[in-house]
């Protein structure tokens, strides 16, 4: 597996890292993410370089290149990884985005705004005097609340990283 070999700095080795990858992937799958995408994401997260080729992912996870391709397609679509050309080769390398969680939650924030708008329109259509209209309006209000809180959460996260001395992009 070359430079992306999955070993821990303390030398415990590939098996412990593989167990972590599978455990975290199982948690993401339980939360609703596609199983193969969860496994590929967890492998990239646990990789020292946060990047691997399709062949490296297939070998490490013991899955077919087609399974890697499908997972990468999903992860690319939802903005969790990007595709880069390996310098001097024709191979693609799949890379986790810098600020991955920040970007993911920022995109989720944009989804909340769209959902809130549609729900408010739905509540108006259903009518404020109906149970469905009130339920839909309350759902819209909940998403409005989440949207309002998200900016503060992201600001506090940036402050926390800065206080730790963690540079942007790591």
């Amino acid at each position: 597996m070359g430079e992306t070999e999955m070993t821990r700095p303390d030398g415990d080795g590939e098996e412990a890292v593989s167990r972590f990858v599978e455990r975290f992937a199982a948690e993401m799958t339980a939360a609703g993410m596609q199983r193969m995408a969860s496994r590929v994401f967890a492998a990239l997260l646990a990789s020292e370089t946060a990047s691997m080729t399709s062949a490296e992912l297939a070998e490490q996870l013991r899955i077919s290149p087609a399974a890697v391709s499908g997972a990468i397609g999903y992860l690319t679509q939802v903005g969790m990884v990007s595709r880069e050309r390996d310098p001097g080769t024709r191979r693609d390398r799949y890379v986790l985005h810098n600020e991955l969680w920040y970007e993911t939650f920022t995109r989720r924030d944009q989804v909340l705004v769209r959902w809130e708008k549609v729900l408010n329109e739905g509540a108006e259509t259903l009518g404020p005097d109906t149970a469905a209209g009130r339920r839909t309006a309350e759902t819209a209000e909940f998403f409005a609340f989440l949207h309002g809180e998200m900016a503060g959460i992201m600001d506090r996260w940036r402050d926390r990283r800065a206080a730790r001395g963690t540079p942007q992009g790591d």
Side-chain angles (χ1 to χ4, degrees):
M1 283 183 215
E3 68 180 281
T4 59
E5 185 174 325
M6 301 270 292
T7 56
R8 292 185 352 195
D10 61 8
D12 279 347
E14 201 171 311
E15 189 176 321
V17 174
S18 185
R19 281 193 306 271
F20 160 73
V21 165
E22 294 304 327
R23 260 183 54 219
F24 189 55
E27 289 295 329
M28 289 189 300
T29 300
M33 188 180 226
Q34 296 175 0
R35 183 174 179 271
M36 279 303 151
S38 296
R39 293 181 72 211
V40 167
F41 176 81
L44 288 168
L45 183 67
S47 166
E48 189 63 24
T49 61
S51 71
M52 299 174 86
T53 65
S54 180
E56 290 168 336
L57 286 162
E59 178 184 342
Q60 180 186 322
L61 298 172
R62 297 182 187 102
I63 59 177
S64 71
V68 171
S69 179
I72 290 295
Y74 171 81
L75 292 169
T76 301
Q77 180 181 356
V78 298
M80 295 176 78
V81 301
S82 59
R83 185 184 318 246
E84 296 178 1
R85 184 68 65 182
D86 239 357
T89 73
R90 297 177 69 182
R91 292 184 310 182
D92 285 329
R93 178 164 290 283
Y94 304 104
V95 181
L96 290 182
H97 286 195
N98 288 336
E99 300 286 323
L100 169 72
W101 298 115
Y102 180 83
E103 291 174 21
T104 298
F105 279 93
T106 299
R107 278 189 301 280
R108 182 67 49 167
D109 190 50
Q110 295 164 359
V111 169
L112 292 174
V113 170
R114 291 194 312 267
W115 287 0
E116 178 189 349
K117 180 180 186 287
V118 171
L119 287 163
N120 278 325
E121 291 168 1
E124 188 175 311
T125 299
L126 295 166
D129 297 331
T130 67
R134 287 188 299 274
R135 186 172 47 251
T136 304
E138 184 173 346
T139 303
E141 186 180 345
F142 174 72
F143 288 130
F145 172 78
L146 284 180
H147 174 250
E149 293 296 308
M150 193 65 69
I153 291 169
M154 292 299 125
D155 288 343
R156 287 190 300 278
W157 172 245
R158 279 191 300 275
D159 292 347
R160 182 178 180 149
R161 284 181 57 123
R164 283 197 331 247
T166 304
Q168 292 292 83
D170 281 356

